[in-house]
Amino acid sequence: MPVIQNPKRAAMPRRLLQAFRFVNSRLVGLSYRLNLPFVLGGPVSLMVEPSGACNLRCPLCPTGLKLTQRDGYTLSPETFERALGWFRYTLRTITFWNYGEPFLNRDLARMVALASRHDILTQMSTNGMFLERPMLDELLQAGLTRLIVSVDTPDPEVYPRYRVRGDFDRVVRGFRHAAGRKRALGAKTELIAQYMLMQDSEDIDSIIAHGRSLGADKVIVKTIGIGSAVPEPSEREWALMPEADEFNRYVSREDLRAKIHWDDARCSYIWRRMVLNSDGHCVPCCRDQMAEFDLGSVAGGRTLAAVWNGPGYRDYRRRIRETQRKAVMCQRCPELVHKEMDPGLVFTAKDAAAGAPAGPEPVLEPSG
């Protein structure tokens, strides 16, 4: 595949595009406040699963557990562009991940370039095993906004407990390679080292020091989540959890609800965002690990716009409170009330150079 050249600006003038997106976001907010089953505008954020396959076997991931039915699916750039339709003018961000490894889609840079051409911020998360491939340069030159690499821990002995079949040294080497290629190409992509707080790896100072040593622009720290793919965790899953209660998302082993109770809050995700899986089907959010709620498909030449206010989405919006009370994915979700349980951003190279502490991180999309 030829190297992707720096993308050209969107056909719509930038100032007009910004105004269009501003009005759209207000219409979306109004639709949510009025509790309409349809949305007066288009989504402001889109999550796209480039590939349904993964090279690792992580014990809390539905793909790692071989529970999904999307292993053989890869989203083509042609399907992506057609499905995008006029939403390319409403979207502010596109997140290229869900439950597969994005680097397994060899055409990913073409999709990133299309988004960049329309001034859409883009981010992708990777397990870091393929960073030394030529695709890295293609992504950097396509205008990728943010590249998140799951380093997970500074300890090579702890690493394989979660990243089954992963190679810690390869990820570290790949990250440093990515930092070098970013400098060489003059790319503006943020390189983010992401870590998970788990048993025997809970020292945030050590995590920051490790991320700095890799050349990360930012270091983000997450807590471990147990999703709907593991309805009844065993001792094996609990053994991954950090010992410090402050770093545990859940009430207790007997009560797997998120510590942050949302009471009567109503989820806004399905009024603002869409999720497109690699098989062309849309689900409510990334918490729907088992694709339990199929809201429509872009098969047969359909666009996301045809799905967005179609029967599946309308019905789901009408039933959202009932779903929140019953669905495992909702009961375990910490994001419903827009509060963050993770430590989040703990280091930025820019702030460190200026001698200032890390500031709040503007989240493009939750990463699990």
Side-chain angles (χ1 to χ4, degrees), residues 69-110:
Q69 305 297 316
R70 301 192 301 276
D71 272 8
Y73 287 94
T74 299
L75 193 71
S76 72
E78 292 78 18
T79 298
F80 171 72
E81 182 170 11
R82 172 181 51 75
L84 208 54
W86 66 270
F87 283 175
R88 69 193 68 193
Y89 302 118
T90 73
L91 290 168
R92 296 177 183 270
T93 63
I94 297 180
T95 295
F96 290 100
W97 76 65
N98 198 9
Y99 289 106
E101 168 52 46
F103 266 82
L104 294 179
N105 186 326
R106 297 182 179 182
D107 293 318
L108 181 56
R110 292 173 58 188

Side-chain angles (χ1 to χ4, degrees), residues 32-35 262-268 270-271 293 314-327 330-331 336-337:
Y32 172 73
R33 289 192 297 275
L34 295 176
N35 198 20
W262 35 263
D263 298 320
D264 200 38
R266 177 166 48 91
C267 179
S268 64
I270 54 169
W271 274 267
F293 300 95
R314 287 182 180 232
D315 185 55
Y316 193 88
R317 293 184 186 112
R318 290 189 184 100
R319 296 185 295 106
I320 184 60
R321 290 192 185 277
E322 177 186 354
T323 303
Q324 287 178 193
R325 289 193 297 269
K326 296 180 178 179
C330 297
Q331 292 291 316
L336 186 57
V337 290

Side-chain angles (χ1 to χ4, degrees), residues 24-35:
N24 177 74
S25 67
R26 293 301 182 269
L27 290 173
V28 169
L30 178 64
S31 303
Y32 172 73
R33 289 192 297 275
L34 295 176
N35 198 20

Side-chain angles (χ1 to χ4, degrees), residues 206-219:
S206 296
I207 286 172
I208 293 173
H210 190 260
R212 294 185 71 167
S213 74
L214 297 180
D217 295 316
K218 293 181 178 178
V219 174

Side-chain angles (χ1 to χ4, degrees), residues 108-357:
L108 181 56
R110 292 173 58 188
M111 293 187 271
V112 172
L114 174 64
S116 298
R117 209 156 49 237
H118 293 280
D119 282 317
I120 302 173
L121 300 176
T122 55
Q123 67 173 353
M124 63 167 287
S125 179
T126 173
N127 58 41
M129 296 290 287
F130 305 114
L131 290 173
E132 294 177 279
R133 291 187 175 182
M135 186 189 292
L136 174 71
D137 281 14
E138 296 168 3
L139 289 166
L140 295 176
Q141 292 182 302
L144 182 66
T145 307
R146 175 186 291 178
L147 176 61
I148 301 172
V149 181
S150 295
V151 182
D152 295 334
T153 173
D155 190 336
E157 294 185 4
V158 173
Y159 175 83
R161 296 181 194 174
Y162 190 86
R163 297 296 169 187
V164 178
R165 297 189 183 180
D167 185 330
F168 180 80
D169 292 336
R170 184 172 171 180
V171 173
V172 167
R173 187 175 66 244
F175 197 105
R176 289 180 173 141
H177 171 76
R181 292 307 299 157
K182 174 189 171 179
R183 289 192 299 270
L185 295 171
K188 296 181 180 179
T189 305
E190 279 188 337
L191 291 180
I192 299 177
Q194 181 171 273
Y195 295 80
M196 290 192 304
L197 294 168
M198 49 186 162
Q199 196 166 128
D200 300 323
S201 185
E202 303 177 47
D203 187 340
I204 293 181
D205 288 338
S206 296
I207 286 172
I208 293 173
H210 190 260
R212 294 185 71 167
S213 74
L214 297 180
D217 295 316
K218 293 181 178 178
V219 174
I220 291 178
V221 178
K222 288 167 42 66
T223 55
I224 292 181
I226 303 176
S228 57
V230 185
E232 297 182 5
S234 67
E235 188 59 38
R236 179 193 178 205
E237 286 81 40
W238 284 116
L240 295 167
M241 295 297 161
E243 293 184 9
D245 185 64
E246 64 180 304
F247 297 146
N248 196 316
R249 290 186 184 184
Y250 308 107
V251 176
S252 68
R253 290 194 179 197
E254 293 73 33
D255 187 352
L256 258 70
R257 289 176 302 161
K259 285 179 181 176
I260 296 176
H261 295 303
W262 35 263
D263 298 320
D264 200 38
R266 177 166 48 91
C267 179
S268 64
Y269 199 110
I270 54 169
W271 274 267
R272 300 183 58 81
R273 300 169 175 169
M274 292 190 82
V275 176
L276 174 64
N277 279 332
S278 55
D279 60 359
H281 287 264
C282 294
V283 294
C285 68
C286 63
R287 304 290 171 183
D288 190 1
Q289 294 186 329
M290 303 305 295
E292 180 182 357
F293 300 95
D294 187 349
L295 303 185
S297 170
V298 297
R302 301 181 78 207
T303 65
L304 288 171
V307 178
W308 180 234
N309 279 323
Y313 265 94
R314 287 182 180 232
D315 185 55
Y316 193 88
R317 293 184 186 112
R318 290 189 184 100
R319 296 185 295 106
I320 184 60
R321 290 192 185 277
E322 177 186 354
T323 303
Q324 287 178 193
R325 289 193 297 269
K326 296 180 178 179
V328 171
M329 68 178 191
C330 297
Q331 292 291 316
R332 298 182 187 176
C333 178
E335 298 163 28
L336 186 57
V337 290
H338 307 290
K339 293 183 180 178
E340 187 57 68
M341 296 181 68
D342 296 339
L345 178 70
V346 295
F347 167 80
T348 69
K350 181 186 289 187
D351 289 340

